[in-house]
Amino acid sequence: VKKTGKRGALGCLAGRAPPQSRSGRRRPPEQVLPKFRNVRRWPRSDLDQPKSRSGRRRPQDNAQGTQKQPRNHGMNAATLKQKSIMKLAAKHMRTVSARQAASKAATKQESLASASLTVSEVQKERSCGHSGKSGKSGWHKWRLSGAEEATKSGWQKWRLSGAEKAAKTSAVKDPQKLKEIEAKICLLPEAAPDEKTEKSLALLMDGFRKYLLGHGLKETSAKAYLTCFNSLFMRDFRSYEASAGEEYKTLIKESTQNRRYHAAVSHFRSFYQMRKTSAVKDPQKLKEIEAKICLLPEAAPDEKTEESFALLMDRFLKYLLMKALLKETSAKSFVSCFSLLFKRDLRSYEASAGEEYKTLIKESPQNKNGHGQYYAAVCHFRSFYQVMVNR
């Protein structure tokens, strides 16, 4: 019996005979699963479905062995349903975007094809040399009709007419006029010896700079006007009053080389007139203010040194930037104003930060000409000095 069982098992493994069941009967070949790849599979049938616990055959739709159950990974039915809906929506969006891209590419290709066709037709008509009954091309007709000149702007017409070249070379073409202007400038009053000194010119330029900044000009524009007027004064050496006159301004405006200096001369003229009228208005009051300032305590020798004053101004600038929250240009302007006042009056730091000095600076004509900048500088220095002393 043992030998028979072994032979039957070996035969089953080799695929020769189906193995026996527990009852000793042999199974039909349809129920035997092949053990090797080279063994030919049998056709599937209803008998291939697994049995239930009761021993009955399950229907094909309810069989667990043939149907592959989806993996839920711990998700409930609602989550799985929502996930499948999202997948379908994403697939739909990809399909729609692909269709739109294809339609755009087709439209672009059609437009390029039509444009190339139109260009080729126009080139063909131009190469033929005629486009209608007259035998002339449309481009030739358009040029002959004068439409080309009509479409050009006034600037292009002005350049084509040669006016630009004439304007550039007017100074070279008419040297006689330039000589006449220079001769008229030489007839104006010459600057006095004290006006030609560096100190006098520096004071004048400093007042001119304060005037420009007080009227809302930027630092770069003010420097440009100062440079222009300084170069004019060093070239012509006319007096301050003559340089601020109407005749000098007209001569500068008429000459082509000096036309760029016209704005600087106009600004200097308005500045000099304001300075002159403010000095003439009340000279007695100005002398009284200067006398009162001289009565204040003078600066000590150590306060007059450049190192001590530079250190004080550096602290003053940091105070304006950090505590007063001013911009850098405004802070530097206030520091410059106070340094000018200190170098002019040479009063002590304590006196310069006092109430009396602040009142005298407020009433001075120089402060009014500078639109209150000197008074504001003294006020800022007063608050800074009080903070420094309280430390």
Side-chain angles (χ1 to χ4, degrees):
V1 176
K2 291 181 180 179
K3 290 181 180 180
T4 308
K6 286 182 180 180
R7 287 177 183 177
L10 291 172
C12 179
L13 290 173
R16 297 176 184 175
Q20 295 180 356
S21 61
R22 292 181 181 179
S23 60
R25 297 179 183 179
R26 294 198 179 272
R27 296 180 183 176
E30 291 85 1
Q31 295 184 10
V32 180
L33 292 174
K35 297 294 182 180
F36 302 98
R37 295 181 181 179
N38 55 357
V39 179
R40 186 177 178 182
R41 292 179 180 272
W42 61 90
R44 295 187 178 184
S45 62
D46 295 338
L47 297 174
D48 191 26
Q49 307 299 330
K51 294 181 180 180
S52 60
R53 292 183 180 179
S54 60
R56 297 180 182 180
R57 298 281 180 183
R58 295 180 182 176
Q60 189 173 2
D61 297 337
N62 197 19
Q64 295 179 358
T66 57
Q67 289 185 356
K68 190 175 181 181
Q69 298 295 330
R71 297 180 181 179
N72 54 4
H73 299 284
M75 292 183 288
N76 55 9
T79 309
L80 288 171
K81 186 176 181 181
Q82 187 177 3
K83 193 173 181 181
S84 62
I85 292 172
M86 290 173 66
K87 285 183 179 180
L88 290 173
K91 185 177 180 181
H92 179 68
M93 289 296 295
R94 287 196 297 271
T95 307
V96 171
S97 60
R99 288 177 182 176
Q100 289 179 354
S103 63
K104 285 183 180 179
T107 308
K108 188 176 181 180
Q109 191 173 3
E110 290 177 2
S111 62
L112 289 173
S114 61
S116 61
L117 182 61
T118 308
V119 170
S120 61
E121 289 177 357
V122 171
Q123 289 178 353
K124 187 176 180 181
E125 288 180 0
R126 288 184 180 178
S127 62
C128 293
H130 59 86
S131 60
K133 296 180 180 179
S134 60
K136 295 178 181 178
S137 63
W139 176 260
H140 191 55
K141 286 181 181 179
W142 182 71
R143 294 198 67 177
L144 290 177
S145 64
E148 183 181 10
E149 290 292 331
T151 54
K152 288 179 180 177
S153 62
W155 173 257
Q156 289 176 329
K157 289 182 180 179
W158 181 73
R159 293 192 69 180
L160 290 173
S161 64
E164 182 185 14
K165 190 176 181 181
K168 287 182 179 179
T169 58
S170 59
V172 181
K173 286 184 178 180
D174 198 0
Q176 188 66 29
K177 185 178 180 181
L178 184 60
K179 289 181 180 179
E180 290 177 1
I181 291 171
E182 290 178 356
K184 290 180 181 180
I185 289 174
C186 291
L187 293 175
L188 296 174
E190 192 177 355
D194 58 337
E195 291 181 345
K196 294 181 182 179
T197 59
E198 293 183 2
K199 185 178 181 180
S200 175
L201 185 61
L203 289 173
L204 181 71
M205 291 296 102
D206 184 70
F208 187 28
R209 176 177 169 275
K210 299 300 179 187
Y211 169 81
L212 293 174
L213 293 175
H215 279 72
L217 273 75
K218 293 182 179 179
E219 188 75 24
T220 53
S221 304
K223 285 182 180 180
Y225 289 137
L226 288 171
T227 306
C228 290
F229 184 81
N230 196 9
S231 60
L232 280 177
F233 181 80
M234 298 301 291
R235 187 193 67 181
D236 299 333
F237 281 111
R238 298 302 98 187
S239 64
Y240 297 162
E241 189 172 358
S243 300
E246 185 68 28
E247 186 177 359
Y248 186 74
K249 188 181 80 168
T250 307
L251 292 172
I252 293 297
K253 188 177 181 180
E254 287 178 358
S255 60
T256 309
Q257 290 180 348
N258 303 328
R259 195 170 293 169
R260 54 179 178 158
Y261 301 117
H262 171 66
V265 175
S266 300
H267 283 297
F268 180 78
R269 186 168 183 267
S270 58
F271 154 71
Y272 192 79
Q273 286 179 354
M274 180 181 290
R275 181 189 178 191
K276 188 177 179 181
T277 52
S278 62
V280 173
K281 272 183 181 179
D282 199 355
Q284 189 65 28
K285 187 176 181 180
L286 180 61
K287 290 181 181 180
E288 290 177 1
I289 291 172
E290 290 176 355
K292 289 180 181 180
I293 289 174
C294 291
L295 293 175
L296 296 174
E298 192 176 355
D302 58 337
E303 291 180 347
K304 293 180 182 180
T305 58
E306 293 184 0
E307 294 180 0
S308 174
F309 186 71
L311 183 61
L312 182 70
M313 290 298 101
D314 185 62
R315 291 178 181 176
F316 184 32
L317 180 62
K318 289 180 180 178
Y319 169 80
L320 293 175
L321 293 174
M322 300 298 294
K323 300 293 182 179
L325 301 177
L326 296 177
K327 293 183 179 179
E328 189 175 359
T329 54
S330 303
K332 287 182 178 179
S333 177
F334 288 137
V335 170
S336 178
C337 289
F338 183 80
S339 62
L340 287 172
L341 289 175
F342 180 79
K343 290 177 182 179
R344 185 194 68 180
D345 301 331
L346 291 177
R347 299 301 99 186
S348 65
Y349 297 161
E350 188 175 357
S352 300
E355 186 69 27
E356 187 177 358
Y357 187 75
K358 185 181 77 169
T359 306
L360 292 172
I361 292 298
K362 185 178 181 180
E363 294 176 357
S364 64
Q366 185 182 9
N367 178 64
K368 293 178 181 178
N369 294 339
H371 299 277
Q373 281 195 343
Y374 292 97
Y375 174 71
V378 172
C379 291
H380 282 298
F381 180 79
R382 188 167 183 266
S383 59
F384 155 72
Y385 190 77
Q386 289 175 356
V387 171
M388 189 176 68
V389 169
N390 292 332
R391 283 182 181 178

